[in-house]
Amino acid sequence: MNLTPADKKRFKQHMDAKYLPQYVHSIPAPPDICEAVENLLKPRVLDLLPLSDSQKTSDNDMLARMLISTDFDLDETEAKLRRYLKWREQDRIDGIFQETIPPDILHPLTGGFCGHDNEGHPMYYGYWPPTHILMPLLKKYTVMDLLRSHFLLMERQREACIVDNQPQVSVVTDFSKAGLGILYHWGAVKAIKEMMLYDDKYYPEHMRHCFLVARVKAKMHIIHKDRQAQELSKWIPLDQIPIEWGGTSPQFARIDDPAYKAGVYPSQRQPAWQDGITPTEQLDAEPPVKREPQHPCRGPHPRWWHWHKWFC
């Protein structure tokens, strides 16, 4: 597709909240861009239309996202769209809301929604569990089992965008409890890589802003834990941030709540985790300490072993 950089910039503007609803409802701003979708891309994928995606805003919207993600390469867009629909069918993504995911996976790996950012996009807040919670999961379940919970939260985010009539979602993820030890565990690294790979391949132009809460400084809106509320308030009103995240909103709709419904926030939140322990309290819990058994005649250090052989 022969588009100038200016054309590409105008096309990408359709993903903004103030442009996309006009495009979805066939009231295009630059006619040449819409013509590119209608006349150049659609004839290639007529056998796929209408797209079998229960969370799509429209066929034009999904085609636009795919075009942007491939830098307007028609051949790659067509191939990516076919892979996307095949994946949704094989992995039963349209039925993910009816699937029963084990609670011990769902609780640590998913968060919930609360309010909107300053641009009106729905806000999703999630935790990345610490090592002492994640490692037992990786021993008990496969990486694909963990990915099912990730697919669920991605589809919930898309659902929230449809309910709020917004094209994208903003995400705040708390990595402050995970620690660097997670980088030395191959299973954890593999799970993170797989999640990022699926997001890149099958959820194009999905995220508006990404905020990472950590204890170190880095790029991508990484926020220090001690200044979490102050930094988030630059982008999100305090009354739209949950109390656990430093805001003032008592409303927080967790995905794993059996009564969860998109766009409906409970007026008074009850503890969602078992035994009345909130997510923050459970994440703050100290990991179990592994103690080495000691011989009655020696200390914990192994160098005392050769002394005990002669005197004990």
Side-chain angles (χ1 to χ4, degrees):
M1 184 186 300
N2 295 323
L3 292 178
T4 66
D7 289 333
K8 293 181 180 181
K9 183 178 180 180
R10 284 187 297 166
F11 195 96
K12 290 180 180 180
Q13 285 178 334
H14 286 304
M15 308 318 295
D16 292 340
K18 59 183 178 181
Y19 292 109
L20 188 63
Q22 295 179 353
Y23 179 71
V24 169
H25 294 94
S26 302
I27 310 175
D32 54 330
I33 299 299
C34 296
E35 184 179 355
V37 174
E38 294 288 343
N39 298 337
L40 296 179
L41 182 57
K42 271 193 173 180
R44 291 169 168 253
V45 294
L46 283 177
D47 58 311
L48 302 177
L49 301 178
L51 302 177
S52 55
D53 181 352
S54 61
Q55 298 298 325
K56 69 181 180 182
T57 304
S58 71
D59 288 343
N60 277 0
D61 170 70
M62 181 53 66
L63 294 178
R65 294 173 188 268
M66 290 290 181
L67 271 174
I68 291 175
S69 68
T70 61
D71 199 24
F72 306 93
D73 184 321
L74 287 173
D75 293 332
E76 178 58 27
T77 301
E78 179 186 354
K80 186 172 184 177
L81 184 62
R82 293 184 182 277
R83 291 194 300 267
Y84 169 74
L85 295 176
K86 183 178 180 180
W87 165 72
R88 290 192 68 89
E89 179 181 3
Q90 289 182 343
D91 284 30
R92 310 178 307 280
I93 303 300
D94 281 344
I96 194 75
F97 291 167
Q98 290 74 45
E99 184 174 328
T100 301
I101 298 177
D104 54 343
I105 294 180
L106 201 58
H107 287 311
L109 297 183
T110 59
F113 295 92
C114 181
H116 306 81
D117 62 16
N118 290 338
E119 297 173 322
H121 302 94
M123 288 299 311
Y124 173 83
Y125 296 82
Y127 309 86
W128 190 257
T131 307
H132 69 277
I133 292 180
L134 181 61
M135 298 314 175
L137 292 180
L138 291 169
K139 292 179 180 179
K140 184 177 180 180
Y141 300 101
T142 66
V143 171
M144 182 52 66
D145 291 333
L146 271 58
L147 282 174
R148 297 303 291 179
S149 69
H150 185 69
F151 298 156
L152 172 64
L153 79 85
M154 295 299 288
E155 293 298 310
R156 286 298 187 192
Q157 290 176 3
R158 296 181 72 200
E159 179 190 42
C161 290
I162 294 175
V163 171
D164 292 343
N165 193 30
Q166 295 291 339
Q168 295 165 316
V169 62
S170 289
V171 177
V172 181
T173 303
D174 188 350
F175 275 91
S176 64
K177 303 292 190 300
L180 294 178
I182 197 173
L183 300 178
Y184 296 95
H185 192 283
W186 170 242
V189 173
K190 183 179 179 181
I192 295 174
K193 289 175 64 177
E194 288 291 327
M195 291 177 185
M196 296 177 65
L197 179 64
Y198 275 98
D199 290 353
D200 181 63
K201 289 170 58 177
Y202 300 133
Y203 294 97
E205 296 299 316
H206 171 76
M207 190 181 301
R208 180 61 174 171
H209 296 291
C210 176
F211 303 92
L212 303 180
V213 179
R215 299 186 184 277
V216 295
K217 292 183 178 180
K219 298 180 180 179
M220 284 185 65
H221 296 296
I222 293 185
I223 300 170
H224 195 282
K225 184 67 175 178
D226 296 338
R227 300 188 300 274
Q228 178 175 321
Q230 177 185 353
E231 293 295 326
L232 289 179
S233 64
K234 296 178 181 178
W235 298 88
I236 314 163
L238 279 175
D239 62 356
Q240 301 288 297
I241 302 175
I243 295 174
E244 291 92 333
W245 296 80
T248 61
S249 176
Q251 302 175 344
F252 188 48
R254 285 192 57 89
I255 289 177
D256 59 356
D257 188 343
Y260 171 83
K261 186 176 181 181
V264 177
Y265 304 103
S267 58
Q268 186 172 4
R269 188 170 62 258
Q270 299 296 328
W273 283 28
Q274 44 190 321
D275 301 326
I277 302 177
T278 64
T280 304
E281 290 172 344
Q282 183 150 348
L283 291 176
D284 284 334
E286 292 294 330
V289 179
K290 184 178 180 180
R291 299 187 180 276
E292 182 181 351
Q294 298 184 14
H295 191 277
C297 297
R298 65 183 177 98
H301 199 285
R303 72 174 182 168
W304 293 102
W305 176 252
H306 68 282
W307 290 106
H308 122 272
K309 289 192 302 182
W310 301 103
F311 298 104
C312 292

